[in-house]
Amino acid sequence: MADPSRVHDEGERRPSHLFYQGRQRRPLIDRAEGVYMWDVHGRCYMDGSSGAMVSNIGHSNPRVLDAMRAQMQRATFAYRLHFENEPAERLAAELAAVLPAGLDRLFFVSGGSEAVESCIKLARQYALATGEAARSKVIARFPGYHGSTLGALALTGYEPLTEPFAPMLRAMPKIPAPTCYLDRDDLDAAARGRRYADMLEREIRRQGPETVLAFIMEPVGGASTGALVAPDAYYPRIREICDAHGVLLIHDEVMSGAGRTGRFLAGDHWGVVPDIVALSKGFAAGYAPLGAMAAPERLVEPVLEAGGFLHGYTYAGNPLACAAGLAVLEEIEAEGLMDNAARMGALLKARLTGLMDRYPFIGDVRGHGLLLAFELVADRETMAPLPKALNAYDRLVELAYDEGLIVYSRRTRGGLEGDHFLVCPPMIVTEDQIEEIMAMLTRALDRFAAEAGLPAEKAA
Ligand SMILES: Cc1ncc(COP(=O)(O)O)c(C=O)c1O
């Protein structure tokens, strides 16, 4: 069996002026197609996490590449204060048609953090325009992830990322994310859902309702919680509480949106319509940097009337990115990829859940559609995390990478301890490819169990 450290050796020998998060090096990408990626040495990888839950329609999709090539030959960039462009207009219209009724005013950006910043700034300007200047606090959940720019970071609940910048941020109130799978009370799911939702009401009262601008949440959790899904009762109760206090409900669908959970928005599973939505990642599926904020007329018009939305990004709504986004939307619809995400997601979730028989250290499998994760624990009864020093979240990813499978991991409990792994292949994944993922993942888990001295049943 290959030594996983070889992957890094290969990279470390190659000098680089670049730096990102740490010292880890990876091979150079050569090409990618469908659910597979090849490095320059010809080694093939299964993109089991769609990058960072981005490449939702798979790589090198001909429809998208053709649309981008065609747009490139006309105009790649036209500054929005100088020209309107047809791809942006068409994308806005197509997007409005798939979003819940009323969310039909679109503002384009180039990424998820930008989308979140836009949401909170629109909310703030709406409050100012409607005579509610005291409203400035945005309540968020812990754990939660909303982006790396300082405004989005202030909403993020993931300590390793927020702590160094704490003195530079205006701290925003947090309530616990609905981690019901950790609870050992005798409440049923509905009561638990309401219990977590009611924490929002208590926090709004504690802060003073007239000071609270918005509540932001990921309807299906992403990197920080590992695909956390709340009980059904949570979602409508949150909507009720926001309405009762004049607090705007922002759904961060940067990861969960654009069909990944089997519906266009994850919030659609519960029929809850937020006031503002942030989209990115799968929206242009890795073909171009693109994101969007969607809001209703009733929020946008007062802001425009009061002098305009004081916010924007140079690359926003550029014709090339919008042509890519439009082709991605068309591909999702034409190929029925949301249905495939629902069907393949159910299959993959069942297969991951099956791993719990073999590995007692898998404590939970969760998610919706193809936004799925499993969490490792020391003890399934208490859900105590594995010893931190094992660095399971890092090690298992390396072992999977060595097997040719890319998965995405984070620490579960606010970034401090716990280990979860997102298994989120592109929405084009087939049954056979799910079996390939499972075979590679099982080999990686066996190796991890052996290394860490954890129990694992023998393969049948
Ligand atoms: C829910 C959520 N919001 C916002 C972001 C930030 O997006 P970006 O990294 O594109 O700025 C992410 C990225 O992982 C995310 O998952």
Side-chain angles (χ1 to χ4, degrees):
M1 184 57 67
D3 173 0
S5 60
R6 269 185 33 214
V7 173
H8 310 296
D9 292 348
E10 182 270 326
E12 275 159 19
R13 281 198 299 274
R14 180 171 27 84
S16 175
H17 289 277
L18 287 170
F19 76 98
Y20 296 105
Q21 257 153 330
R23 295 194 184 283
Q24 187 185 51
R25 300 293 303 276
R26 291 293 195 204
L28 289 168
I29 184 73
D30 180 34
R31 64 193 176 88
E33 195 175 331
V35 299
Y36 300 106
M37 309 183 82
W38 288 266
D39 69 21
V40 288
H41 305 292
R43 187 161 188 242
C44 182
Y45 304 79
M46 160 71 74
D47 191 0
S49 61
S50 308
M53 285 54 80
V54 174
S55 303
N56 281 9
I57 65 162
H59 299 271
S60 303
N61 179 279
R63 180 196 302 268
V64 183
L65 298 186
D66 286 347
M68 292 179 77
R69 263 190 295 270
Q71 184 56 45
M72 252 187 269
Q73 274 153 4
R74 298 179 66 193
T76 54
F77 182 76
Y79 187 50
R80 67 184 186 285
L81 299 185
H82 301 157
F83 291 99
E84 299 189 354
N85 74 77
E86 197 185 308
E89 291 293 342
R90 285 183 55 206
L91 179 58
E94 297 273 321
L95 185 54
V98 291
L99 289 173
L103 286 171
D104 56 3
R105 298 299 299 272
L106 282 311
F107 182 87
F108 291 134
V109 296
S110 302
S113 304
E114 289 185 7
V116 169
E117 298 283 346
S118 305
C119 294
I120 57 178
K121 282 193 171 178
L122 181 72
R124 171 65 184 161
Q125 274 204 254
Y126 170 74
L128 289 175
T130 51
E132 298 222 55
R135 291 191 189 265
S136 66
K137 296 173 188 163
V138 181
I139 300 176
R141 307 195 308 192
F142 186 93
Y145 185 73
H146 297 291
S148 58
T149 51
L150 292 180
L153 200 60
L155 308 171
T156 288
Y158 197 82
E159 281 192 26
L161 297 178
T162 53
E163 213 267 338
F165 306 101
M168 300 166 70
L169 301 173
R170 167 146 189 236
M172 289 291 175
K174 304 283 184 317
I175 60 167
T179 49
C180 302
Y181 71 100
L182 296 175
D183 293 345
R184 294 292 179 267
D185 50 37
D186 50 13
L187 297 179
D188 63 17
R192 281 195 186 142
R194 283 191 298 273
R195 187 167 77 84
Y196 278 93
D198 287 345
M199 292 176 191
L200 174 61
E201 178 139 61
R202 275 202 299 282
E203 190 59 31
I204 291 173
R205 290 192 194 287
R206 213 170 70 82
Q207 295 291 336
E210 69 291 349
T211 69
V212 180
L213 178 64
F215 172 59
I216 187 165
M217 59 177 260
E218 300 158 84
V220 173
S224 66
T225 55
L228 185 73
V229 184
D232 292 342
Y234 181 82
Y235 297 86
R237 180 77 188 120
I238 288 283
R239 181 67 272 185
E240 256 172 45
I241 293 167
C242 288
D243 288 342
H245 296 283
V247 169
L248 295 172
L249 175 59
I250 303 173
H251 275 184
D252 180 345
E253 297 252 13
V254 166
M255 189 181 286
S256 58
R260 173 155 286 282
T261 69
R263 299 277 186 92
F264 191 75
L265 295 181
D268 295 348
H269 290 286
W270 295 276
V272 168
V273 182
D275 297 297
I276 315 181
V277 175
L279 282 168
S280 187
K281 292 192 183 260
F283 179 42
Y287 289 89
L290 183 67
M293 166 176 67
E297 189 93 349
R298 71 186 152 76
L299 297 193
V300 175
E301 274 310 313
V303 171
L304 299 183
E305 194 58 35
F309 186 31
L310 304 174
H311 178 69
Y313 303 97
T314 298
Y315 277 93
N318 76 74
L320 184 58
C322 290
L326 189 58
V328 167
L329 266 191
E330 285 168 0
E331 182 72 8
I332 291 172
E333 301 254 317
E335 300 302 318
L337 295 186
M338 288 192 268
D339 286 347
N340 199 56
R343 278 188 299 113
M344 292 300 113
L347 173 66
L348 179 57
K349 191 174 184 185
R351 298 286 279 110
L352 291 172
T353 305
L355 292 178
M356 293 178 79
D357 296 338
R358 179 161 171 169
Y359 305 106
F361 56 90
I362 298 183
D364 192 44
V365 175
R366 52 184 178 263
H368 236 309
L370 280 172
L371 183 44
L372 297 173
F374 63 91
E375 180 174 337
L376 303 189
V377 291
D379 177 348
R380 207 180 271 166
E381 279 313 302
T382 62
M383 294 299 278
L386 286 173
K388 205 176 161 178
L390 262 186
N391 272 330
Y393 79 108
D394 196 31
R395 189 62 190 149
L396 181 59
V397 164
E398 290 312 299
L399 292 166
Y401 198 89
D402 189 56
E403 295 292 341
L405 171 67
I406 299 173
V407 292
Y408 188 101
S409 70
R410 283 288 180 271
R411 287 242 188 249
T412 314
R413 317 283 165 87
L416 297 177
E417 55 181 353
D419 309 87
H420 63 252
F421 301 83
L422 288 132
V423 187
C424 303
M427 290 154 64
I428 55 168
V429 73
T430 64
E431 280 190 44
D432 286 350
Q433 289 163 345
I434 284 179
E435 294 314 316
E436 273 181 59
I437 292 173
M438 293 307 299
M440 288 186 273
L441 185 58
T442 306
R443 286 197 294 273
L445 281 161
D446 281 344
R447 287 170 67 188
F448 173 73
E451 262 186 33
L454 294 168
E457 301 284 325
K458 287 268 172 297

